[in-house]
Every structure is written in structure tokens, then in C-alpha cells.
Amino acid sequence: MFQQQVDLSTYNTLALPARAEFFVTVDRVEQLAALAKHPDLAGRRRFVLGGGSNLVLTGDFSGLVVHMNLKGKSLAGEDGEHFYVAAAGGENWSDFVRWTLEQGWPGLENLSFIPGTAGAAPIQNIGAYGVEAGDFLHMVEALDLDTGRPCPFSIDDCALAYRDSLFKREGWHLSGRYAITRVIFRLPKRWRPRAAYGELAAELERGNIAQPTPAQMAAAVIALRRRKLPDPLQLPNAGSFFQNPIVSAEFAAALGEAHPTLPRYPQTDSHVKLAAGWLIEQTGWKGRNLGPVGMYEKQALVLVNRGGATFRDVQNLTRAVREAILARFGVNLVPEPVIL
Ligand code: EPU
């Protein structure tokens, strides 16, 4: 049932070397239920792996890696106002978004071309260009790997926030408690483009597109991502390496006085999101390497593995960048990927 001592370097897009003591690829939900009851696995560590595109491996994993390969997408329902579209946990997110658009069920186009699986989308509440998965998520179906029982989570249960969810806050993404088997999105039939994000608006304007269709929105997003974000197959990376810090409005105002070009995105009356990429660029780390890793030259927030990096290299660069930002701006950057 399990493979042993499996090389994980091709299962994480940052391409860090590590081995899994036990490894299993899951194609059917029944396999998951069997895993939960398997006597050899009682008390063992577990990790549920999706596309490995938001993952930093610190070293070999002693325990079982459950590689989610459940496939399937469908129209789960429809009412006067909405389409309910479902993806199995192991579906490729980007393929799923493209498929919904082809079917004439728009809504997820701003989230086009994000690497990873559909099942991972709610865990960190993936987001891009002014939209988050949580804006359209309806519910999550999971299997509790401690008991082997199915467990539904409503959108309210998931308690989504900026790159955060109940799954992360409870540490279930690290303990392998749940495997997300299916995600269901609720897409309004009355579609409107969400084109307010500065860079996206500029891209549409460049193409002279005043009233974009869903396909044109997706094309603009894909063009932007292709231009700024490295393809992991060519240059291994895990997407944004730090979260954009959310600070108090007073702190952001004071920082803005000292640095007038600082990008600021008010979240509430009392909190403002800052652009970590901008902060990193100001400290001179954009396009700079430390050993075999570096901060990407076209998007400073992306840490890239230029070849043969280990976790130690990633740790050294992370520390150097965080120290530079703390010293210069008094801001503490928090890594964005899951660190296992
Ligand atoms: N900026 C710089 N220098 C840089 C990068 C950014 O000055 O090297 C400035 C930009 O000019 C802009 C601001 O920072 O004023 C924001 O930059 P951008 O629009 O590129 O987005 P981001 O905040 O760096 C976030 C997400 C991305 C997502 C983009 C687009 C996080 C941690 N990252 O990046 O998500 O694609 O917005 O919506 O929230 C990911 O999570 O892996 C990811 C790629």
C-alpha cells in the first residue's frame, strides 16, 4: 500500500531535497478511509500533500505523506441566482478554473493560473488580483483521518481570512488531521468583472478593453502572472514567500510619512496591509542571491532556488531579509508557505 523512502524533491515546487519515510498516492476517497484505520499507521506523523506549491520542506519526513490525487469536477447544483461547482481535492486548481470558464460559469477568473490543487485552496485561502477563494467558497468536504469519517465544513466553519483559515489556525495542515476531498464554489449567475486591482486595470487598459468578458479577465491575469512570476519548472519557487504584513493604521500612517511611495491597502478602519515586495525591494534584496537562493528579480516577494538549494540556504536568506526589513521599517515579515 505504501512506498518507502520516497524522494520528495519533485513533489515540492521549491525543489528542496527531502524523503518521506512512507508515501501513498490517493485516487479514491475509500483509500483515505482505509488509511485512517490502518494499524501500521496508528500514532504516526502524517502530512497531506497537494501540489507542493506552497511548501517548504525542512528535511526528511518521518511518517506518512498522503499525496492527494482525487480527480473530478462537476456542476453540483444550480438555483435562480447561482451555479454550484465542485472540484475533487486533487484537481489541479488552474485546470479547474479554466474548465469553469469554458462551461460558462465565470467568477474564478482572477484566480487563474495559481499553481496547486483545489483541495489546498481553502487552507491558505488563495487570492490574487483583488479576489480570494473565500469570496466564492460554499463548502469544503473533508475526511477526518483520525476517525475515517467524512466531515463537512461550511464557509463559516472555515473562518477564512487573508491567507488563513481554521485549518491553518488549528495546525491541521501540519498534523495531517483532515484530507480535503471536495470543494464547492457558489458562483453568482449575474457576473461582473472585478477589475479594480491596479495592475489588472492597467493591463486591461493596455489592451483597450473597457468591458472585459470573463475570458478576457482570465487572459489578462495569466499574462500578468506569466510576466512577473517564475515558472517553477524552470526556476523552482513557492510563490510569495512572505505574507503581506497587516499593521495598525497609526503605524502605517507614520511609515507612509517617512516613505511616501509605500503601497498601503486599508483592510478595516484600524488595519492596513503593506506590500512586502515593496519593502524587500527598498532594502536592496530584489534580484539578490545568498548562496543558491535569491529573491526574484521581477517580483521581490518570490524566493527562488537557483539550483541545489537546501533548507539551510532558504533559512539563511529568510533570516537576512527579515532582519533587513525589521531594521529598516520595524516590520516583522512572516513566511507565507507551509513549513514542514
Ligand atoms: N512591489 C514592489 N516590488 C516588488 C514587488 C511588488 O515594489 O518587487 C509593489 C508593487 O509595485 C505593488 C505592490 O508591491 O505596488 C503589490 O505588488 P503585487 O501587485 O505584485 O502583489 P503582491 O502583494 O506582491 C500579492 C499576492 C500574490 C498575488 C498578487 C496579485 C501575497 C503574499 N501575495 O502579491 O500571491 O499573485 O498579490 O494579487 O498576498 C502567492 O500568494 O503565492 C502569490 C503569488
Side-chain angles (χ1 to χ4, degrees):
M1 188 175 194
F2 317 117
Q3 292 169 265
Q4 290 191 25
Q5 298 302 328
V6 170
D7 177 13
L8 296 177
S9 56
T10 58
Y11 288 98
N12 74 103
T13 62
L14 191 52
L16 294 182
R19 286 178 168 277
E21 186 185 11
F22 297 102
F23 183 95
V24 63
T25 294
V26 168
D27 313 292
R28 289 173 300 108
V29 177
E30 304 77 69
Q31 259 176 296
L32 282 172
L35 278 181
K37 294 184 184 116
H38 201 290
D40 292 357
L41 297 176
R44 275 196 191 278
R45 270 187 89 192
R46 219 169 28 212
F47 180 71
V48 179
L49 174 71
S53 54
N54 194 47
L55 179 64
V56 177
L57 295 169
T58 61
D60 291 345
F61 185 79
S62 59
L64 174 70
V65 170
V66 180
H67 177 223
M68 290 294 280
N69 196 39
L70 301 174
K71 300 287 186 194
K73 12 189 211 301
S74 62
L75 182 67
E78 188 177 344
D79 58 27
E81 304 283 307
H82 303 95
F83 294 112
Y84 294 82
V85 295
E91 275 291 334
N92 175 278
W93 173 261
S94 182
D95 291 348
F96 171 61
V97 172
R98 195 178 44 226
W99 176 79
T100 60
L101 294 173
E102 284 164 5
Q103 303 300 311
W105 307 322
L108 300 176
E109 54 283 346
N110 292 40
L111 304 177
S112 291
F113 219 52
I114 297 180
T117 58
I123 296 177
Q124 58 144 351
N125 189 18
I126 58 170
Y129 306 103
V131 173
E132 288 181 341
D135 297 346
F136 296 105
L137 189 70
H138 176 57
M139 69 169 301
V140 168
E141 292 172 4
L143 198 104
D144 184 338
L145 292 174
D146 282 350
T147 63
R149 286 203 204 100
C151 189
F153 292 89
S154 72
I155 172 80
D156 291 339
D157 294 338
C158 292
L160 302 178
Y162 168 63
R163 294 294 191 277
D164 199 21
S165 68
L166 179 74
F167 297 94
K168 263 176 98 169
R169 277 195 292 281
E170 294 292 327
W172 293 330
H173 63 314
L174 293 174
S175 67
R177 169 81 189 268
Y178 292 100
I180 294 181
T181 50
R182 204 163 85 123
V183 287
I184 303 175
F185 289 87
R186 191 171 86 137
L187 306 176
K189 289 186 170 175
R190 237 173 302 159
W191 179 82
R192 58 178 182 83
R194 310 236 293 197
Y197 197 88
E199 236 198 331
L200 182 56
E203 179 71 13
L204 292 166
E205 212 173 292
R206 258 197 299 280
N208 261 321
I209 301 169
Q211 284 174 326
T213 63
Q216 286 172 321
M217 291 289 289
V221 165
I222 292 170
L224 284 175
R225 295 190 74 96
R226 280 224 169 93
R227 217 175 296 147
K228 286 183 70 172
L229 298 168
D231 175 354
L233 292 175
Q234 262 136 48
L235 187 56
N237 72 87
S240 296
F241 198 82
F242 297 104
Q243 295 182 19
N244 283 328
I246 295 176
V247 300
S248 74
E250 294 82 39
F251 183 85
L255 210 56
E257 293 262 307
H259 308 276
T261 59
L262 171 80
R264 277 169 281 169
Y265 311 98
Q267 303 293 292
T268 57
D269 286 348
S270 57
H271 286 87
V272 174
K273 190 161 42 170
L274 306 177
W278 186 92
L279 299 173
I280 295 170
E281 183 166 348
Q282 297 302 306
T283 61
W285 272 104
K286 185 174 185 170
R288 215 173 122 193
N289 297 330
L290 185 64
V293 289
M295 304 313 292
Y296 189 51
E297 45 280 12
K298 296 183 197 158
Q299 221 303 3
L301 198 45
V302 178
L303 184 149
V304 293
N305 174 359
R306 302 207 182 268
T310 62
F311 174 66
R312 183 55 66 83
D313 299 316
V314 172
Q315 215 176 13
N316 289 341
L317 178 58
T318 306
R319 194 175 298 133
V321 171
R322 290 181 74 181
E323 278 171 6
I325 304 289
L326 190 61
R328 173 97 179 263
F329 300 106
V331 172
N332 186 25
L333 289 188
V334 174
E336 205 254 331
V338 174
I339 299 182
L340 182 68

